[in-house]
Amino acid sequence: MFSFLTKAAFGLSALLVSTSSIANSVDFSVGTGYPFFGQVELTFPQTDSNSRWYGNYLIGLDDGFSVGYEKAVSDNNKHAIGVVLGALGARDAGPACEDDDITCGIFEPIIDLLDDETTNGAGLSYSYHFSGINQSGWSVKLVAGYGESGESHKKRADGSFIVSYQF
């Protein structure tokens, strides 16, 4: 279900971006955080200069895409809240071994370190942009939401923390 929502969100965002980016600039940012160690993001500032659409690729022990919209909620355009569809976070998938599998049991601690699954769903975000929402500079973003894990299809709440620099 959430996989379909993610694909639909990308289709919708591609349509919105293609029509809105004609008059607007496209900004680029890179970042790091937890549980995703890397982020590459394209941002499409809106003409009112205090909101933006974005799409990003998140890289970690599992990876994912997300799209979102943020709007500044402070007079100085530094605090922003938003909505996110797609990758919200990543967590351990659970036990990797069956009870009677001795070989897997020996290597289970190593397997557990590498078996994170991305949670895809819908969520909310809060960002603090040190120079303002659509300005070059550092930002910090917290994302929290509810979705479904990639492989095991467990429904769960999840989130992430990202520090990034917008060029």
Side-chain angles (χ1 to χ4, degrees):
M1 173 70 175
F2 286 110
S3 176
F4 170 76
L5 288 175
T6 303
K7 291 176 185 174
F10 277 112
L12 178 61
S13 67
L15 178 64
L16 290 171
V17 166
S18 65
T19 59
S20 68
S21 65
I22 294 170
N24 296 333
S25 66
V26 176
D27 296 326
F28 173 76
S29 68
V30 293
T32 187
Y34 183 80
F36 301 108
F37 308 130
Q39 172 194 290
V40 177
E41 181 174 273
L42 291 178
T43 303
F44 305 94
Q46 299 303 292
T47 54
D48 63 4
S49 78
N50 66 354
S51 65
R52 68 190 194 125
W53 290 93
Y54 65 89
N56 59 28
Y57 175 59
L58 301 156
I59 307 155
L61 294 178
D62 198 7
D63 62 349
F65 293 95
S66 66
V67 295
Y69 175 78
E70 286 186 320
K71 180 160 182 62
V73 293
S74 63
D75 291 338
N76 60 8
N77 288 340
K78 291 185 177 185
H79 299 273
I81 58 170
V83 294
V84 180
L85 289 176
L88 301 172
R91 284 197 276 155
D92 185 8
C97 299
E98 299 292 325
D99 291 334
D100 58 350
D101 188 353
I102 295 172
T103 306
C104 186
I106 293 170
F107 294 105
E108 186 170 18
I110 296 169
I111 294 169
D112 281 343
L113 289 174
L114 304 174
D115 73 340
D116 286 3
E117 291 182 4
T118 298
T119 303
N120 292 298
L124 299 174
S125 68
Y126 165 77
S127 298
Y128 182 80
H129 302 272
F130 291 87
S131 301
I133 189 168
N134 289 323
Q135 305 299 318
S136 294
W138 291 98
S139 68
V140 176
K141 182 187 296 184
L142 301 170
V143 174
Y146 186 78
E148 184 176 292
S149 63
E151 297 290 322
S152 61
H153 304 290
K154 294 179 182 174
K155 300 212 184 299
R156 60 192 184 190
D158 214 338
S160 58
F161 169 77
I162 297 168
V163 176
S164 62
Y165 186 85
Q166 180 171 301
F167 297 94

